[in-house]
Amino acid sequence: MAFRTTAVARSALKKWAYNLSGFNKYGLLRDDCLYENEDVQEALRRLPEHVVDERNFRIVRAVQLSIQKTILPKEEWTKYEEDKLYLTPIVEQVIKERQEREQWEKNY
């Protein structure tokens, strides 16, 4: 019983923190906010073109809303349940490949 209560509380805390972060009010997803280092740029290169176009649209819209000092209507906010990590798994794969390549170059 205590485990279930803890899981429910943890889920509620995650949702509260997600809504407090603010990027969802601009229609952004979590992966839209990643710092674009070399690994992220390589992951973006591997994504299908339509996914990159959707990401760029969300970012441009968020910048425009920020300039106008406004946010989207509440029904257009990104919901916690709808926010899927579309870029993070690819970034993790790129990092693994880079580390493996560095290890290979170091040893051979």
Side-chain angles (χ1 to χ4, degrees), residues 16-54:
W16 174 79
Y18 180 85
N19 287 325
L20 189 63
S21 65
F23 62 83
N24 63 323
K25 297 175 185 176
Y26 293 102
L28 294 171
L29 302 175
R30 281 180 286 179
D31 281 351
D32 294 339
C33 301
L34 291 177
Y35 177 74
E36 285 194 31
N37 59 20
E38 294 159 359
D39 295 329
V40 173
Q41 289 174 351
E42 173 62 23
L44 286 169
R45 191 185 64 72
R46 295 180 184 188
L47 280 175
E49 189 173 336
H50 71 91
V51 176
V52 175
D53 289 343
E54 291 168 359

